[in-house]
Amino acid sequence: KIQATIPQIRGRIGVQPHERLRISLAGGRYVQSPSYEELSDTTGNPDLRSEGAWHLNLGAAWAPGPWLDLDVQGYVKWLDNQVVSSVSSTAGGWGDLGGFEDLLGGEEDPTHGLSNDGIGRIYGMEAFARFDLARKVRFSGWIGYGLSWAERKDFPDEDWHWFQFDRRHQLTVLAQVTFPKEIILGLRFQLQSGAPQTPVVDSTFYPDIGFYVPEYGELYGERGLPFVQLDLRIDKRWRKKNHIVDFYVDLQNITMAKSSDFVIYSYDYRESASFMSFPAINLALRIEF
């Protein structure tokens, strides 16, 4: 049951103690309505309230020279009234049938296991640096780094655990060198911590059904492999009297990045494998008259 009018108070204040330094403080209340499926009489709980969050952000931007800009932001978020489900999506064993009780003749739950019992806390910082050095060749680009913790508690009697897509470290480097005759060599490097995962600690074979059933450990008790990707690009421009020709070669994922966001297990859950993406080559030619 969503309220018709929900106040969302927000504010921002900034000061500039020096011509090259700016400091800002911002915060406020943010509200989001549950999805249509979560509010449905058939699949959800129509009495759900809106999800809410308090945000607070403190930032500083400093430009020590015309060739460099620095920006640092620290933030905190408190989440309340988060929609959670009491029906586990990860079975802890064959006896954990979760939502099958209704199909077996049990009493139907009008909430379908959905409630506003969830809370969360997210905090961290982001740093960004943009540079542009002009000599015989021009070297420019930017570096971005994020450090964060994202935790949640679905029910009051639970311990804090990580959000499913929590990424502790995120680093992105983008740089390019501009040579004479309008030749540009570019590079992009990405590094991310692995996402939390719930490990499979054991499995049991059930001959009646003919397959193995996994047994899971602590919820999001492990992290997957870090994600590392490197891309390269070469641009060349020719300027003629009546036309301009642009050509580039883009080599993406030359490190053959492997992601453990989706894990494939063997039939007995004793071994696992992660997805690996192959490099991609893009070519483009543009003629402008």
Side-chain angles (χ1 to χ4, degrees), residues 133-194:
L133 302 173
R135 299 290 187 271
K136 291 183 178 180
V137 297
R138 181 182 179 185
F139 181 52
S140 60
W142 54 266
I143 301 174
Y145 172 70
L147 174 65
S148 67
W149 291 262
E151 299 175 291
R152 64 181 297 162
K153 183 187 294 188
D154 293 345
F155 301 98
D157 57 346
E158 288 187 349
D159 295 329
W160 289 97
H161 62 82
W162 303 116
F163 273 86
Q164 181 180 1
F165 299 107
D166 174 75
R167 300 282 187 177
R168 182 63 48 79
H169 304 279
Q170 298 189 64
L171 173 66
T172 303
V173 179
L174 181 67
Q176 66 178 26
V177 181
T178 304
F179 297 95
K181 298 184 179 181
E182 297 193 78
I183 299 176
I184 301 176
L185 174 62
L187 172 150
R188 181 176 63 181
F189 174 78
Q190 300 179 73
L191 171 63
Q192 294 183 0
S193 298

Side-chain angles (χ1 to χ4, degrees), residues 175-231:
Q176 66 178 26
V177 181
T178 304
F179 297 95
K181 298 184 179 181
E182 297 193 78
I183 299 176
I184 301 176
L185 174 62
L187 172 150
R188 181 176 63 181
F189 174 78
Q190 300 179 73
L191 171 63
Q192 294 183 0
S193 298
Q197 296 179 343
T198 302
V200 175
V201 296
D202 200 357
S203 63
T204 303
F205 180 74
Y206 287 83
D208 293 342
I209 58 177
F211 59 82
Y212 284 83
V213 174
E215 296 181 13
Y216 294 91
E218 180 184 356
L219 180 64
Y220 299 139
E222 293 183 357
R223 285 190 178 270
L225 298 173
F227 178 82
V228 181
Q229 180 171 324
L230 179 64
D231 308 322

Side-chain angles (χ1 to χ4, degrees), residues 40-106:
S40 170
D41 291 327
T42 304
T43 61
N45 180 3
D47 293 325
L48 289 174
R49 302 185 304 276
S50 295
E51 298 178 307
W54 290 98
H55 291 203
L56 182 64
N57 185 94
L58 176 63
W62 180 41
W67 56 275
L68 180 63
D69 290 319
L70 302 175
D71 192 300
V72 178
Q73 305 282 333
Y75 58 87
V76 179
K77 301 178 183 179
W78 295 273
L79 284 64
D80 55 74
N81 292 331
Q82 301 300 294
V83 176
V84 295
S85 174
S86 60
V87 179
S88 174
S89 61
T90 302
W94 180 243
D96 185 2
L97 296 177
F100 287 99
E101 294 180 356
D102 293 347
L103 299 179
L104 298 177

